[in-house]
Amino acid sequence: MTIVPRQPMEQRSARMGTLARLPVFFALSGRQTLVAGGSAAAAWKVELLLAAGAHVAVYAQEIGEEMQAVIGAALPGTVTWHARGWQPEDFAGAALAVGACENDEDDAARFAAAARAAGAPVNVIDKPDYCDFSFGSIVNRSPLVVGISTDGAAPVFAQAVRAKIEAVLPHGFAAWAAAARFWRGRVKESGLSFAGRRKFWQLFAGLAIANPGRTPAESDLASLMADVDRLGPTAHAGSVTLVGAGPGDPELLTLRAVRALQSADVILFDDLVSGEVLDFARREARKILVGKRGHGPSCRQSDVNDIMVSLARQGRHVVRLKGGDPLIFGRAGEEIAACQQAGIPVEIVPGISAVQGAASRLGVSLTGRGQARRLQLVTGHAANGELPDDIDWQSIADGAATTAIYMPVKTLSAFVTRAVAAGLDAGMPAVAIANATRPSERRVVSTIAALHDDIAQAQLTGPVLVIIGKVLDTALPRRIDECVRAVL
């Protein structure tokens, strides 16, 4: 069978999904802001504005105890209380305006109109219809700051999310973020190349994450610089990372895979990689489809190797993203060899394999005690698209083995004929899983003898994996009339 080649295709990043609000961070240090109202809610907004370095003018006939406390604790000259209501001319030069208009809709509308007429973005507390921006919930590790918003739909939910982030984001990150801001200019002036500076910040991030409880010191800067120097030319050269994308569910990505995707300059990905997985990548990264389709138009492996090596030689960090695990029927060996021959550093990030993902959804132990003494993975087709002629059929026929067949659909009938002839029980339970772990996952439960026809009847689409073995007895209906050889 002749496989029609296709060329690698660069793909644009997916468009950003709809946002209820655009998250932005205002620079307010030394800038004038206006707050109308003296309530506790207004006092909290004044405290936030002061924390961001703003100068605040408060307009209110009277102020409550909370506002008095905030004003009393503020640095001299940073907040001024005007014991009167606001006037349109008060908005002149204001970077932001915040109004606590209580239940007065007319006052809220006038306040918002006056602020906008003066060019000041406006927030009317608890009245989203009059707001140009919202404050949201804040996790403060300044200069590392996290803002959370539900657009007013569920403030309690936003607070719960904030509590989760507070729990996992060490307070010590504030000191590391401050050090990064202080050191950035020195790193830029150090003479390191762009790739060298990037390597420095990658090492910095690793050190910060590993040591959140201590304060960074000047010796850390020197040590990180020395680490980059010790890497020699490789610190300034490109690299390749082979990353396992897993079977499709983005939540099955490893932390290491996510870090690789977020540091990539270019991502070469296969057809089997889901769009949800690509959403974890840097939006600025180039994304190039280099996939191979079973018995369909495919990129030549030599073309994939060439573009991977060429991009790495340009100093790029190239992520080669593969469905499942890159070391299982993923041609990783050829790509590793190409990198090594070109002198390109290559790293491998394993992923959840298709058979592991499928088994997790089935709730099956692939090596259940007393049912299977081993797990074997075989490919359903050779390079020419036909059934491989070097399969150990005695091993396949072993009733004490669990067998997973990758890419089996086109050759499954011939596979079953050979396996049964070698002694495999024709009634051995089997399942075909399409799009394992994805929302579109479908399964066909049958016996191995009837599975091919049942797959055809079910018209499964997408990547299909077949699992054969006694272990399926514990999780799937055994008798065909119980499952009607149907799609589950």
Side-chain angles (χ1 to χ4, degrees):
M1 176 181 292
T2 301
I3 303 299
V4 179
R6 62 173 172 169
Q7 296 300 311
M9 296 179 294
E10 184 162 357
Q11 296 195 349
R12 295 182 180 274
S13 296
R15 297 294 182 186
M16 176 67 70
T18 301
L19 294 172
R21 298 272 176 171
L22 177 67
V24 296
F25 294 87
F26 286 103
L28 295 177
S29 181
R31 301 185 67 186
Q32 189 66 35
T33 59
L34 181 151
V35 173
S39 65
W44 171 233
K45 297 303 187 285
V46 171
E47 185 172 345
L48 287 174
L49 294 170
L50 291 172
H55 291 181
V56 186
V58 177
Y59 293 88
Q61 293 288 357
E62 297 179 351
I63 59 174
E65 292 182 2
E66 292 86 351
M67 184 69 82
Q68 293 177 31
V70 170
I71 293 174
L75 293 174
T78 58
V79 58
T80 304
W81 172 35
H82 302 272
R84 61 175 177 83
W86 61 269
Q87 300 295 328
E89 56 269 22
D90 296 329
F91 292 89
L96 295 177
V98 179
C101 298
E102 309 266 331
N103 297 318
D104 191 336
E105 292 292 326
D106 290 338
D107 190 24
R110 288 194 303 271
F111 183 85
R116 289 165 180 159
V122 61
N123 175 278
V124 181
I125 299 172
D126 292 335
K127 297 188 184 318
D129 290 344
Y130 301 105
C131 293
D132 296 328
F133 69 94
S134 58
F135 284 87
S137 295
I138 295 172
V139 179
N140 184 11
R141 305 290 186 269
S142 186
L144 175 63
V145 179
V146 180
I148 305 151
S149 171
T150 62
D151 194 28
V156 174
F157 182 41
Q159 292 165 10
V161 172
R162 171 180 174 266
K164 284 283 188 181
I165 296 175
E166 286 276 10
V168 300
L169 200 63
H171 286 270
F173 278 0
W176 286 95
R181 182 167 60 184
F182 183 68
W183 291 347
R184 181 161 295 278
R186 295 167 65 181
V187 173
K188 189 173 182 180
E189 296 169 0
S190 66
L192 292 175
S193 66
F194 174 82
R197 294 196 301 273
R198 184 165 185 173
K199 177 58 68 175
F200 172 91
W201 291 116
Q202 288 171 348
L203 294 173
F204 171 91
L207 185 64
I209 290 170
N211 298 275
R214 72 170 178 83
T215 301
E218 188 72 15
S219 59
D220 291 313
L221 173 62
S223 177
L224 290 169
M225 285 289 193
D227 289 342
V228 175
D229 286 340
R230 276 193 293 271
L231 290 172
T234 61
H236 309 278
S239 62
V240 170
T241 306
L242 305 185
V243 175
D249 183 349
E251 292 190 359
L252 294 179
L253 283 171
T254 66
L255 292 175
R256 195 171 175 187
V258 172
R259 284 198 292 269
L261 288 170
Q262 292 178 348
S263 66
D265 297 309
V266 185
I267 299 171
L268 309 180
F269 67 98
D270 290 339
D271 287 290
L272 298 183
V273 174
S274 67
E276 293 80 6
V277 167
L278 285 171
D279 287 342
F280 280 89
R282 288 177 63 224
R283 292 191 62 81
E284 301 85 354
R286 292 176 61 193
K287 301 173 183 67
I288 302 175
L289 175 63
V290 294
K292 301 171 182 61
R293 296 174 179 168
H295 315 289
S298 298
C299 293
R300 295 186 183 93
Q301 185 61 51
S302 59
D303 291 339
V304 177
N305 294 348
D306 289 345
I307 192 171
M308 181 177 63
V309 168
S310 174
L311 289 165
R313 280 176 168 163
Q314 296 171 29
R316 305 288 193 267
H317 176 206
V318 181
V319 164
R320 178 69 175 97
L321 188 62
K322 298 169 174 287
D325 183 284
L327 302 179
I328 298 178
F329 299 127
R331 300 196 181 184
E334 298 168 56
E335 294 174 358
I336 294 169
C339 291
Q340 291 175 339
Q341 185 175 357
I344 302 295
V346 59
E347 180 185 4
I348 301 165
V349 178
I352 301 296
S353 68
V355 67
Q356 289 175 302
S360 72
R361 295 298 295 269
L362 293 170
V364 170
S365 170
L366 296 171
T367 56
R369 187 175 357 180
Q371 295 176 310
R373 70 168 67 93
R374 71 176 185 279
L375 169 67
Q376 54 193 6
L377 313 181
V378 298
T379 178
H381 67 258
N384 62 2
E386 303 298 329
L387 185 67
D389 57 11
D390 56 355
I391 293 177
D392 182 350
W393 294 108
Q394 292 302 315
S395 178
I396 300 297
D398 184 359
T402 300
T403 303
I405 315 171
Y406 282 67
M407 301 160 284
V409 175
K410 298 293 184 181
T411 61
L412 184 58
S413 179
F415 185 99
V416 172
T417 298
R418 294 286 300 274
V420 171
L424 178 66
D425 180 2
M428 183 70 74
V431 60
I433 307 100
N435 299 306
T437 77
R438 304 187 189 196
S440 57
E441 177 185 304
R442 297 173 72 210
R443 310 171 196 165
V444 172
V445 179
S446 187
T447 61
I448 188 58
L451 186 61
H452 177 267
D453 291 341
D454 293 339
I455 290 174
Q457 183 178 353
Q459 298 180 330
L460 292 189
T461 59
V464 174
L465 178 80
V466 167
I467 301 177
I468 308 166
K470 293 178 181 178
V471 295
L472 299 175
D473 273 330
T474 62
L476 301 174
R478 176 63 183 88
R479 291 177 52 215
I480 300 309
D481 58 351
E482 289 177 353
C483 62
V484 201
R485 292 209 305 256
V487 180
L488 301 180

